[in-house]
Amino acid sequence: MNCCSPIKSTFYNSSQNFLNSVTKYFIVLVSEIHLSHKTLYMKAILTLTFLLFTLIGFSQNTISGKILDQKGAPVSGANIFLEGTYDGTSSDEKGDFSFTTTTTGNQTLVVSFLIFETSKTVIDVANFQKKSIKLRESVTSLDAVVVTAGTMESGDKARVSVLKPLDIVTTAGSAGNIIAALQTLPGTQNVGEDGRLFVRGGEADETQTFVDGIRVAQPYGAATNNLPTRGRFSPFLFSGISFSTGGYSAEYGEALSSVLLLNTQDEPDRNKTDIALMTVGLGLGHTQKWTKSSLSVNTSYINLAPYQAAIPQNVDWNKPYQSLSGESVYRYNFNNGIFKLYAAFDASQFDINQENINGPRKIRVNLDNNNFYLNASYKGNFGSNWQVTTGLSYGYGQNKIDLNLNKIDNAENAAHFKFKLRKSFSDRVKLAFGADCFVTQFDENFRASVFDAKAINGYNNTILAAYSEADIFFSKRVAAKVGARLSHSDVLQQTTLSPRISFAYKVAKNSQFSLAYGTFSQTPNAQYIKYSQNHEFESENAAHYILNYQYNKDRKTFRAEVYYKDYSNLVKYYNKPTVNTNATNFGTDAAQYNSIFSNTGSGYAKGLDLFWRDGKSFKNLEYWISYSYIDTKRDYKNFPKEVTPSFVADHSLSLVTKYWIESWKSQIGFTESFSTGRPYNNPNLINSFMSEKTKSFSNLSFNWAYLLTQQKILYFSVSNVLGTQNVFGYEYARNQNASGIYNRRTITPTADRFFFVGFFWTISDNKKENQLKNL
């Protein structure tokens, strides 16, 4: 079909109307002279004939040719026209086209089609016949290649979602914890006694968390030895997640293993109020929308005392865990951008008596934690294809800890300023560059008893960083991301340069390969550099090599990824034995103010990650399967040699299922998590370090959401349904007993099972909104 035909017909109709007007004019002229002057009559006839032939002569130039793709195949249905005119046509099934024009000289011939880039060619209209024009495939189409090595995205704006934000709270066993849901993905380790995110052989502090691109310095709640913590953030306010298991963008730094990007909602659905009554506490949320702005607020109070009074625990509580927390997002939409203000607070406390393998009396741990996080960001467009992203965050974390008579008070103030510009030079080349500034102040006071003087440790650190990164699309099938990050640490007095590069090649419509390489640096953990006034440290380094294959079609996703990580400059330390200690307890002793530090540590991690998600094959059923194999060893901390760390299991497997039963008005879900045994050190074995392994870990969890009415839901979940007696590891005494044996105790979960019951009620104007999608 000729897309220009209606417009062209209008042009010819206008010409015909003009001719009719001229003809009528001469008829009137002839009638006025009453046909009496033959000479004047003949002149009028000649003038009319000249005008007619002149108008006909306006359409004498013919333009023709053939439209082809890069392989020489004909393109049917392409639109061809001269820029600034109504002259044009469409290519037929053989790619051929032909049309006439009244223009002359040099003109711009435009050829456009949905899946190809628009072509513009300057031609001489008098000499453009039977010419061929080749179109290049568009790199902005929905099935164009994307770089996926090391990164798993989710949310409305993600090209391929492997974990949706709603999955965080609908995954059995996650209990609304972002970190617990992410532990069902490949590349992660389930370290039950810790609760933080461990990725591909890396420590938990090797993963950085960002909200709307701005860093969160304290992403986890309060915890103590062998008690798991939780992520601070509720999933309800986030619309998308990007979880990088390695090879992440040069835009982010200070993470050896991974970055977790949380993106708050740009625009909520409607005004509503959410009420939650739970066996562990209460929750209240409200969202209010205006013409250009909106505000969402969530708050919750958690108190485990009633629950633990009803269900006995494997721990001795003086005061069970309690917390009061809240978060809010304010959004304002400008004509060309959006401003967001995110704020969150958390105040928690608990008091517990923990077994002491080195003495007959338990150790009392009384902990108060206060945390505040503020994040302001703006993202908008300006000029010709320019985009600006900027923001500022501030985080405050305070811990007051009593360990029997010992008192530890620490506080961290952390700020992050970010400025980023992005320019789209074309659909094929996009350049981003920007700068970061991280400011951290950490102070810690330790007092052995009320009669002892305080020992003061801490550090101040400012990190300045600049980065640049280009996205280059060579074709619809081939793309690259090339960048580098330059950063300088004040406390380390060191500057590092980290190059990063990724390639992607689309082998078929629904599948592609990606390859990534990058170097990454990070300031050592606060538990080390708080002693920096007495020691010199260097940044820890890692190099990532990643090969990825991804297939995605019709709600089915498959990912396979192999990787290799090379660690260098890891912190090592040596603790001098105390007078009552016969030998250093390698791998378990924490660093001290008088430890001997160095950056001579090293290590590696290599493995395979597999992921399959299917929401299509079975009606009302969605499931995913994750498998990870890892081979990793490290020589760091006070390790005497290179071994596999205690938090690593060689094989991990997760199966997550969600099934909707229409007749029951219910969604039920199961999650099975399995991993092989983890290493631990048995000092009773001479000349053997980290050679023992725990038994395998297995946890089957179940949840059930029942729709009482359209806006009222009853929710039930239980972890470890089968009551498997899992073991996280063993703690050994520092000294031998009378028989020359080091005694030990088993580290187990705080309870065999965890039960949760909740009632959730949503109040909205349309009387249809509910929290089923959030459970």
Side-chain angles (χ1 to χ4, degrees), residues 385-388 420-424 430-433 471:
N385 297 321
W386 282 92
Q387 183 182 78
V388 61
K420 173 187 172 183
L421 289 173
R422 182 179 175 89
K423 168 70 173 178
S424 296
K430 299 176 175 63
L431 178 66
F433 54 93
D471 292 304

Side-chain angles (χ1 to χ4, degrees), residues 685-729:
L685 300 178
I686 301 175
N687 297 324
S688 178
F689 178 64
M690 300 291 284
S691 60
E692 300 284 281
K693 285 192 175 183
T694 65
K695 66 176 185 178
S696 298
F697 172 89
S698 180
N699 187 324
L700 177 64
S701 299
F702 167 77
N703 64 8
W704 181 6
Y706 174 65
L707 199 62
L708 294 171
T709 66
Q710 184 64 35
Q711 294 192 294
K712 297 175 183 177
I713 297 170
L714 183 64
Y715 181 82
F716 169 78
S717 71
V718 57
S719 64
N720 195 20
V721 174
L722 302 179
T724 306
Q725 300 298 303
N726 290 307
V727 174
F728 297 141

